[in-house]
PDB file of all heavy atoms in Angstrom:
ATOM      1  N   ILE A  11     -30.805-136.174  51.479  1.00 98.00           N
ATOM      2  CA  ILE A  11     -31.044-135.398  50.249  1.00 98.00           C
ATOM      3  C   ILE A  11     -32.419-134.742  50.291  1.00 98.00           C
ATOM      4  O   ILE A  11     -32.569-133.540  50.027  1.00 98.00           O
ATOM      5  CB  ILE A  11     -30.908-136.295  49.006  1.00 98.00           C
ATOM      6  CG1 ILE A  11     -29.461-136.770  48.839  1.00 98.00           C
ATOM      7  CG2 ILE A  11     -31.373-135.558  47.746  1.00 98.00           C
ATOM      8  CD1 ILE A  11     -29.288-137.872  47.813  1.00 98.00           C
ATOM      9  N   LEU A  12     -33.437-135.525  50.629  1.00 98.00           N
ATOM     10  CA  LEU A  12     -34.809-135.002  50.622  1.00 98.00           C
ATOM     11  C   LEU A  12     -35.021-133.948  51.708  1.00 98.00           C
ATOM     12  O   LEU A  12     -35.674-132.923  51.465  1.00 98.00           O
ATOM     13  CB  LEU A  12     -35.816-136.141  50.764  1.00 98.00           C
ATOM     14  CG  LEU A  12     -35.775-137.204  49.666  1.00 98.00           C
ATOM     15  CD1 LEU A  12     -36.850-138.253  49.897  1.00 98.00           C
ATOM     16  CD2 LEU A  12     -35.899-136.584  48.284  1.00 98.00           C
ATOM     17  N   ASP A  13     -34.461-134.166  52.889  1.00 98.00           N
ATOM     18  CA  ASP A  13     -34.611-133.188  53.969  1.00 98.00           C
ATOM     19  C   ASP A  13     -33.917-131.875  53.630  1.00 98.00           C
ATOM     20  O   ASP A  13     -34.424-130.794  53.941  1.00 98.00           O
ATOM     21  CB  ASP A  13     -34.074-133.744  55.286  1.00 98.00           C
ATOM     22  CG  ASP A  13     -34.918-134.887  55.838  1.00 98.00           C
ATOM     23  OD1 ASP A  13     -36.036-135.126  55.333  1.00 98.00           O
ATOM     24  OD2 ASP A  13     -34.440-135.571  56.769  1.00 98.00           O
ATOM     25  N   ALA A  14     -32.756-131.954  52.975  1.00 98.00           N
ATOM     26  CA  ALA A  14     -32.050-130.732  52.567  1.00 98.00           C
ATOM     27  C   ALA A  14     -32.858-129.961  51.530  1.00 98.00           C
ATOM     28  O   ALA A  14     -32.925-128.727  51.563  1.00 98.00           O
ATOM     29  CB  ALA A  14     -30.668-131.074  52.016  1.00 98.00           C
ATOM     30  N   THR A  15     -33.496-130.671  50.619  1.00 98.00           N
ATOM     31  CA  THR A  15     -34.324-130.028  49.600  1.00 98.00           C
ATOM     32  C   THR A  15     -35.526-129.353  50.249  1.00 98.00           C
ATOM     33  O   THR A  15     -35.850-128.202  49.934  1.00 98.00           O
ATOM     34  CB  THR A  15     -34.773-131.063  48.549  1.00 98.00           C
ATOM     35  OG1 THR A  15     -33.607-131.593  47.912  1.00 98.00           O
ATOM     36  CG2 THR A  15     -35.685-130.439  47.514  1.00 98.00           C
ATOM     37  N   THR A  16     -36.173-130.049  51.159  1.00 98.00           N
ATOM     38  CA  THR A  16     -37.317-129.475  51.870  1.00 98.00           C
ATOM     39  C   THR A  16     -36.888-128.223  52.635  1.00 98.00           C
ATOM     40  O   THR A  16     -37.583-127.199  52.609  1.00 98.00           O
ATOM     41  CB  THR A  16     -37.941-130.509  52.819  1.00 98.00           C
ATOM     42  OG1 THR A  16     -38.421-131.604  52.042  1.00 98.00           O
ATOM     43  CG2 THR A  16     -39.081-129.912  53.629  1.00 98.00           C
ATOM     44  N   ALA A  17     -35.754-128.289  53.298  1.00 98.00           N
ATOM     45  CA  ALA A  17     -35.261-127.133  54.057  1.00 98.00           C
ATOM     46  C   ALA A  17     -35.020-125.931  53.146  1.00 98.00           C
ATOM     47  O   ALA A  17     -35.333-124.796  53.521  1.00 98.00           O
ATOM     48  CB  ALA A  17     -33.982-127.504  54.803  1.00 98.00           C
ATOM     49  N   ARG A  18     -34.477-126.159  51.968  1.00 97.00           N
ATOM     50  CA  ARG A  18     -34.256-125.052  51.025  1.00 97.00           C
ATOM     51  C   ARG A  18     -35.580-124.429  50.592  1.00 97.00           C
ATOM     52  O   ARG A  18     -35.667-123.218  50.399  1.00 97.00           O
ATOM     53  CB  ARG A  18     -33.479-125.539  49.805  1.00 97.00           C
ATOM     54  CG  ARG A  18     -32.009-125.751  50.103  1.00 97.00           C
ATOM     55  CD  ARG A  18     -31.227-126.273  48.926  1.00 97.00           C
ATOM     56  NE  ARG A  18     -31.328-125.435  47.750  1.00 97.00           N
ATOM     57  CZ  ARG A  18     -31.091-125.854  46.516  1.00 97.00           C
ATOM     58  NH1 ARG A  18     -30.733-127.098  46.293  1.00 97.00           N
ATOM     59  NH2 ARG A  18     -31.200-125.016  45.502  1.00 97.00           N
ATOM     60  N   SER A  19     -36.628-125.237  50.466  1.00 98.00           N
ATOM     61  CA  SER A  19     -37.928-124.711  50.029  1.00 98.00           C
ATOM     62  C   SER A  19     -38.547-123.777  51.061  1.00 98.00           C
ATOM     63  O   SER A  19     -39.378-122.934  50.714  1.00 98.00           O
ATOM     64  CB  SER A  19     -38.900-125.858  49.725  1.00 98.00           C
ATOM     65  OG  SER A  19     -39.406-126.460  50.907  1.00 98.00           O
ATOM     66  N   GLU A  20     -38.148-123.907  52.315  1.00 97.00           N
ATOM     67  CA  GLU A  20     -38.735-123.098  53.381  1.00 97.00           C
ATOM     68  C   GLU A  20     -38.369-121.622  53.283  1.00 97.00           C
ATOM     69  O   GLU A  20     -38.982-120.798  53.957  1.00 97.00           O
ATOM     70  CB  GLU A  20     -38.308-123.649  54.737  1.00 97.00           C
ATOM     71  CG  GLU A  20     -38.878-125.015  55.023  1.00 97.00           C
ATOM     72  CD  GLU A  20     -38.323-125.649  56.283  1.00 97.00           C
ATOM     73  OE1 GLU A  20     -37.408-125.076  56.911  1.00 97.00           O
ATOM     74  OE2 GLU A  20     -38.803-126.745  56.632  1.00 97.00           O
ATOM     75  N   ASN A  21     -37.385-121.290  52.454  1.00 97.00           N
ATOM     76  CA  ASN A  21     -36.944-119.896  52.307  1.00 97.00           C
ATOM     77  C   ASN A  21     -36.935-119.440  50.857  1.00 97.00           C
ATOM     78  O   ASN A  21     -36.269-118.466  50.528  1.00 97.00           O
ATOM     79  CB  ASN A  21     -35.531-119.746  52.893  1.00 97.00           C
ATOM     80  CG  ASN A  21     -35.511-120.089  54.360  1.00 97.00           C
ATOM     81  OD1 ASN A  21     -36.196-119.476  55.158  1.00 97.00           O
ATOM     82  ND2 ASN A  21     -34.753-121.102  54.714  1.00 97.00           N
ATOM     83  N   LEU A  22     -37.669-120.141  49.998  1.00 97.00           N
ATOM     84  CA  LEU A  22     -37.677-119.864  48.573  1.00 97.00           C
ATOM     85  C   LEU A  22     -39.116-119.701  48.105  1.00 97.00           C
ATOM     86  O   LEU A  22     -39.936-120.603  48.307  1.00 97.00           O
ATOM     87  CB  LEU A  22     -37.017-121.038  47.835  1.00 97.00           C
ATOM     88  CG  LEU A  22     -36.714-120.882  46.374  1.00 97.00           C
ATOM     89  CD1 LEU A  22     -35.604-119.846  46.165  1.00 97.00           C
ATOM     90  CD2 LEU A  22     -36.282-122.225  45.789  1.00 97.00           C
ATOM     91  N   CYS A  23     -39.418-118.552  47.506  1.00 97.00           N
ATOM     92  CA  CYS A  23     -40.788-118.285  47.070  1.00 97.00           C
ATOM     93  C   CYS A  23     -41.237-119.335  46.058  1.00 97.00           C
ATOM     94  O   CYS A  23     -40.590-119.549  45.035  1.00 97.00           O
ATOM     95  CB  CYS A  23     -40.876-116.890  46.453  1.00 97.00           C
ATOM     96  SG  CYS A  23     -42.550-116.446  45.900  1.00 97.00           S
ATOM     97  N   GLU A  24     -42.338-119.968  46.359  1.00 97.00           N
ATOM     98  CA  GLU A  24     -42.873-121.003  45.473  1.00 97.00           C
ATOM     99  C   GLU A  24     -43.338-120.424  44.147  1.00 97.00           C
ATOM    100  O   GLU A  24     -43.378-121.117  43.145  1.00 97.00           O
ATOM    101  CB  GLU A  24     -44.022-121.737  46.163  1.00 97.00           C
ATOM    102  CG  GLU A  24     -44.525-122.922  45.369  1.00 97.00           C
ATOM    103  CD  GLU A  24     -45.643-123.696  46.022  1.00 97.00           C
ATOM    104  OE1 GLU A  24     -46.025-123.377  47.170  1.00 97.00           O
ATOM    105  OE2 GLU A  24     -46.141-124.629  45.381  1.00 97.00           O
ATOM    106  N   ARG A  25     -43.620-119.153  44.113  1.00 96.00           N
ATOM    107  CA  ARG A  25     -44.122-118.516  42.891  1.00 96.00           C
ATOM    108  C   ARG A  25     -43.011-117.944  42.019  1.00 96.00           C
ATOM    109  O   ARG A  25     -43.039-118.060  40.810  1.00 96.00           O
ATOM    110  CB  ARG A  25     -45.115-117.416  43.253  1.00 96.00           C
ATOM    111  CG  ARG A  25     -45.790-116.776  42.067  1.00 96.00           C
ATOM    112  CD  ARG A  25     -46.953-115.907  42.551  1.00 96.00           C
ATOM    113  NE  ARG A  25     -47.641-115.299  41.440  1.00 96.00           N
ATOM    114  CZ  ARG A  25     -47.627-114.001  41.193  1.00 96.00           C
ATOM    115  NH1 ARG A  25     -46.948-113.168  41.977  1.00 96.00           N
ATOM    116  NH2 ARG A  25     -48.292-113.513  40.169  1.00 96.00           N
ATOM    117  N   CYS A  26     -41.973-117.311  42.623  1.00 95.00           N
ATOM    118  CA  CYS A  26     -40.967-116.610  41.803  1.00 95.00           C
ATOM    119  C   CYS A  26     -39.520-116.949  42.131  1.00 95.00           C
ATOM    120  O   CYS A  26     -38.613-116.461  41.464  1.00 95.00           O
ATOM    121  CB  CYS A  26     -41.183-115.104  41.897  1.00 95.00           C
ATOM    122  SG  CYS A  26     -40.593-114.382  43.451  1.00 95.00           S
ATOM    123  N   ALA A  27     -39.252-117.741  43.151  1.00 95.00           N
ATOM    124  CA  ALA A  27     -37.912-118.186  43.565  1.00 95.00           C
ATOM    125  C   ALA A  27     -37.105-117.126  44.317  1.00 95.00           C
ATOM    126  O   ALA A  27     -35.918-117.303  44.542  1.00 95.00           O
ATOM    127  CB  ALA A  27     -37.105-118.718  42.376  1.00 95.00           C
ATOM    128  N   ALA A  28     -37.731-116.046  44.735  1.00 95.00           N
ATOM    129  CA  ALA A  28     -37.045-115.031  45.550  1.00 95.00           C
ATOM    130  C   ALA A  28     -36.977-115.517  47.007  1.00 95.00           C
ATOM    131  O   ALA A  28     -37.700-116.434  47.399  1.00 95.00           O
ATOM    132  CB  ALA A  28     -37.802-113.709  45.474  1.00 95.00           C
ATOM    133  N   PRO A  29     -36.126-114.899  47.826  1.00 96.00           N
ATOM    134  CA  PRO A  29     -36.135-115.229  49.256  1.00 96.00           C
ATOM    135  C   PRO A  29     -37.543-115.013  49.827  1.00 96.00           C
ATOM    136  O   PRO A  29     -38.229-114.051  49.462  1.00 96.00           O
ATOM    137  CB  PRO A  29     -35.133-114.243  49.853  1.00 96.00           C
ATOM    138  CG  PRO A  29     -34.213-113.931  48.717  1.00 96.00           C
ATOM    139  CD  PRO A  29     -35.091-113.925  47.490  1.00 96.00           C
ATOM    140  N   ALA A  30     -37.980-115.929  50.695  1.00 97.00           N
ATOM    141  CA  ALA A  30     -39.377-115.905  51.141  1.00 97.00           C
ATOM    142  C   ALA A  30     -39.498-116.479  52.543  1.00 97.00           C
ATOM    143  O   ALA A  30     -38.516-116.933  53.132  1.00 97.00           O
ATOM    144  CB  ALA A  30     -40.221-116.721  50.162  1.00 97.00           C
ATOM    145  N   ARG A  31     -40.736-116.469  53.021  1.00 97.00           N
ATOM    146  CA  ARG A  31     -41.040-117.078  54.312  1.00 97.00           C
ATOM    147  C   ARG A  31     -42.438-117.687  54.263  1.00 97.00           C
ATOM    148  O   ARG A  31     -43.243-117.354  53.382  1.00 97.00           O
ATOM    149  CB  ARG A  31     -40.933-116.070  55.445  1.00 97.00           C
ATOM    150  CG  ARG A  31     -41.896-114.920  55.375  1.00 97.00           C
ATOM    151  CD  ARG A  31     -41.628-113.912  56.508  1.00 97.00           C
ATOM    152  NE  ARG A  31     -42.455-112.741  56.381  1.00 97.00           N
ATOM    153  CZ  ARG A  31     -43.686-112.632  56.876  1.00 97.00           C
ATOM    154  NH1 ARG A  31     -44.224-113.630  57.546  1.00 97.00           N
ATOM    155  NH2 ARG A  31     -44.374-111.520  56.724  1.00 97.00           N
ATOM    156  N   LEU A  32     -42.722-118.561  55.207  1.00 97.00           N
ATOM    157  CA  LEU A  32     -44.024-119.221  55.277  1.00 97.00           C
ATOM    158  C   LEU A  32     -45.109-118.200  55.573  1.00 97.00           C
ATOM    159  O   LEU A  32     -44.969-117.372  56.477  1.00 97.00           O
ATOM    160  CB  LEU A  32     -44.006-120.305  56.365  1.00 97.00           C
ATOM    161  CG  LEU A  32     -45.314-121.066  56.565  1.00 97.00           C
ATOM    162  CD1 LEU A  32     -45.696-121.849  55.318  1.00 97.00           C
ATOM    163  CD2 LEU A  32     -45.183-122.005  57.755  1.00 97.00           C
ATOM    164  N   ARG A  33     -46.197-118.272  54.805  1.00 96.00           N
ATOM    165  CA  ARG A  33     -47.360-117.382  55.000  1.00 96.00           C
ATOM    166  C   ARG A  33     -48.568-118.242  55.367  1.00 96.00           C
ATOM    167  O   ARG A  33     -48.933-119.155  54.643  1.00 96.00           O
ATOM    168  CB  ARG A  33     -47.673-116.598  53.724  1.00 96.00           C
ATOM    169  CG  ARG A  33     -46.489-115.906  53.075  1.00 96.00           C
ATOM    170  CD  ARG A  33     -45.935-114.782  53.946  1.00 96.00           C
ATOM    171  NE  ARG A  33     -44.766-114.200  53.312  1.00 96.00           N
ATOM    172  CZ  ARG A  33     -44.517-112.911  53.235  1.00 96.00           C
ATOM    173  NH1 ARG A  33     -45.322-112.039  53.807  1.00 96.00           N
ATOM    174  NH2 ARG A  33     -43.426-112.474  52.632  1.00 96.00           N
ATOM    175  N   ARG A  34     -49.172-117.910  56.476  1.00 95.00           N
ATOM    176  CA  ARG A  34     -50.375-118.618  56.921  1.00 95.00           C
ATOM    177  C   ARG A  34     -51.567-117.664  56.843  1.00 95.00           C
ATOM    178  O   ARG A  34     -52.416-117.654  57.727  1.00 95.00           O
ATOM    179  CB  ARG A  34     -50.181-119.129  58.345  1.00 95.00           C
ATOM    180  CG  ARG A  34     -49.081-120.149  58.462  1.00 95.00           C
ATOM    181  CD  ARG A  34     -48.898-120.595  59.879  1.00 95.00           C
ATOM    182  NE  ARG A  34     -47.790-121.532  59.976  1.00 95.00           N
ATOM    183  CZ  ARG A  34     -47.197-121.863  61.096  1.00 95.00           C
ATOM    184  NH1 ARG A  34     -47.582-121.331  62.233  1.00 95.00           N
ATOM    185  NH2 ARG A  34     -46.208-122.710  61.087  1.00 95.00           N
ATOM    186  N   THR A  35     -51.625-116.892  55.784  1.00 90.00           N
ATOM    187  CA  THR A  35     -52.636-115.844  55.642  1.00 90.00           C
ATOM    188  C   THR A  35     -53.852-116.288  54.843  1.00 90.00           C
ATOM    189  O   THR A  35     -54.765-115.505  54.646  1.00 90.00           O
ATOM    190  CB  THR A  35     -52.018-114.612  54.958  1.00 90.00           C
ATOM    191  OG1 THR A  35     -51.414-115.023  53.730  1.00 90.00           O
ATOM    192  CG2 THR A  35     -50.958-113.974  55.853  1.00 90.00           C
ATOM    193  N   ARG A  36     -53.869-117.505  54.377  1.00 91.00           N
ATOM    194  CA  ARG A  36     -54.998-118.035  53.611  1.00 91.00           C
ATOM    195  C   ARG A  36     -55.173-119.499  53.988  1.00 91.00           C
ATOM    196  O   ARG A  36     -54.345-120.065  54.693  1.00 91.00           O
ATOM    197  CB  ARG A  36     -54.787-117.826  52.112  1.00 91.00           C
ATOM    198  CG  ARG A  36     -53.468-118.337  51.588  1.00 91.00           C
ATOM    199  CD  ARG A  36     -53.156-117.978  50.145  1.00 91.00           C
ATOM    200  NE  ARG A  36     -53.005-116.586  49.798  1.00 91.00           N
ATOM    201  CZ  ARG A  36     -51.945-115.824  50.106  1.00 91.00           C
ATOM    202  NH1 ARG A  36     -50.947-116.325  50.794  1.00 91.00           N
ATOM    203  NH2 ARG A  36     -51.891-114.582  49.719  1.00 91.00           N
ATOM    204  N   ARG A  37     -56.219-120.106  53.490  1.00 90.00           N
ATOM    205  CA  ARG A  37     -56.499-121.515  53.795  1.00 90.00           C
ATOM    206  C   ARG A  37     -55.316-122.415  53.448  1.00 90.00           C
ATOM    207  O   ARG A  37     -54.968-123.323  54.190  1.00 90.00           O
ATOM    208  CB  ARG A  37     -57.742-121.958  53.010  1.00 90.00           C
ATOM    209  CG  ARG A  37     -58.172-123.372  53.279  1.00 90.00           C
ATOM    210  CD  ARG A  37     -59.350-123.791  52.400  1.00 90.00           C
ATOM    211  NE  ARG A  37     -59.063-123.686  50.983  1.00 90.00           N
ATOM    212  CZ  ARG A  37     -58.411-124.615  50.272  1.00 90.00           C
ATOM    213  NH1 ARG A  37     -57.973-125.702  50.861  1.00 90.00           N
ATOM    214  NH2 ARG A  37     -58.200-124.449  48.995  1.00 90.00           N
ATOM    215  N   LEU A  38     -54.656-122.151  52.329  1.00 91.00           N
ATOM    216  CA  LEU A  38     -53.500-122.917  51.881  1.00 91.00           C
ATOM    217  C   LEU A  38     -52.229-122.208  52.324  1.00 91.00           C
ATOM    218  O   LEU A  38     -52.003-121.059  51.959  1.00 91.00           O
ATOM    219  CB  LEU A  38     -53.536-123.031  50.347  1.00 91.00           C
ATOM    220  CG  LEU A  38     -52.433-123.795  49.659  1.00 91.00           C
ATOM    221  CD1 LEU A  38     -52.487-125.261  50.045  1.00 91.00           C
ATOM    222  CD2 LEU A  38     -52.581-123.646  48.149  1.00 91.00           C
ATOM    223  N   TRP A  39     -51.416-122.861  53.144  1.00 95.00           N
ATOM    224  CA  TRP A  39     -50.153-122.259  53.568  1.00 95.00           C
ATOM    225  C   TRP A  39     -49.209-122.223  52.383  1.00 95.00           C
ATOM    226  O   TRP A  39     -49.077-123.205  51.645  1.00 95.00           O
ATOM    227  CB  TRP A  39     -49.509-123.061  54.676  1.00 95.00           C
ATOM    228  CG  TRP A  39     -50.260-123.073  55.975  1.00 95.00           C
ATOM    229  CD1 TRP A  39     -51.471-122.515  56.240  1.00 95.00           C
ATOM    230  CD2 TRP A  39     -49.833-123.685  57.177  1.00 95.00           C
ATOM    231  NE1 TRP A  39     -51.825-122.742  57.539  1.00 95.00           N
ATOM    232  CE2 TRP A  39     -50.838-123.462  58.135  1.00 95.00           C
ATOM    233  CE3 TRP A  39     -48.717-124.395  57.531  1.00 95.00           C
ATOM    234  CZ2 TRP A  39     -50.738-123.930  59.438  1.00 95.00           C
ATOM    235  CZ3 TRP A  39     -48.617-124.861  58.828  1.00 95.00           C
ATOM    236  CH2 TRP A  39     -49.623-124.625  59.774  1.00 95.00           C
ATOM    237  N   LEU A  40     -48.516-121.113  52.203  1.00 96.00           N
ATOM    238  CA  LEU A  40     -47.587-120.941  51.088  1.00 96.00           C
ATOM    239  C   LEU A  40     -46.301-120.284  51.562  1.00 96.00           C
ATOM    240  O   LEU A  40     -46.317-119.481  52.495  1.00 96.00           O
ATOM    241  CB  LEU A  40     -48.208-120.057  49.999  1.00 96.00           C
ATOM    242  CG  LEU A  40     -49.461-120.592  49.307  1.00 96.00           C
ATOM    243  CD1 LEU A  40     -50.105-119.508  48.460  1.00 96.00           C
ATOM    244  CD2 LEU A  40     -49.125-121.804  48.467  1.00 96.00           C
ATOM    245  N   THR A  41     -45.192-120.597  50.904  1.00 97.00           N
ATOM    246  CA  THR A  41     -43.932-119.907  51.145  1.00 97.00           C
ATOM    247  C   THR A  41     -43.784-118.890  50.024  1.00 97.00           C
ATOM    248  O   THR A  41     -43.643-119.262  48.852  1.00 97.00           O
ATOM    249  CB  THR A  41     -42.757-120.895  51.184  1.00 97.00           C
ATOM    250  OG1 THR A  41     -42.993-121.810  52.262  1.00 97.00           O
ATOM    251  CG2 THR A  41     -41.447-120.173  51.414  1.00 97.00           C
ATOM    252  N   LEU A  42     -43.888-117.608  50.382  1.00 97.00           N
ATOM    253  CA  LEU A  42     -43.906-116.530  49.394  1.00 97.00           C
ATOM    254  C   LEU A  42     -43.023-115.368  49.828  1.00 97.00           C
ATOM    255  O   LEU A  42     -42.833-115.127  51.021  1.00 97.00           O
ATOM    256  CB  LEU A  42     -45.341-116.000  49.213  1.00 97.00           C
ATOM    257  CG  LEU A  42     -46.408-116.982  48.740  1.00 97.00           C
ATOM    258  CD1 LEU A  42     -47.793-116.361  48.854  1.00 97.00           C
ATOM    259  CD2 LEU A  42     -46.125-117.434  47.317  1.00 97.00           C
TER     260      LEU A  42
END
């Protein structure tokens, strides 16, 4: 259950819930 949830987060914008990808453009990595 937890791994499936984590996997879904990898493609979901943490800010708006749109399709997204991992961004390593700042000190804090974000999926946006």
Side-chain angles (χ1 to χ4, degrees):
I11 294 168
L12 300 182
D13 292 349
T15 298
T16 298
R18 285 178 56 201
S19 75
E20 293 173 355
N21 299 300
L22 190 68
C23 181
E24 186 179 356
R25 185 168 181 248
C26 77
R31 63 184 174 87
L32 179 63
R33 311 294 177 137
R34 296 178 183 164
T35 54
R36 52 188 63 74
R37 182 184 58 82
L38 180 65
W39 294 4
L40 297 169
T41 299
L42 300 170

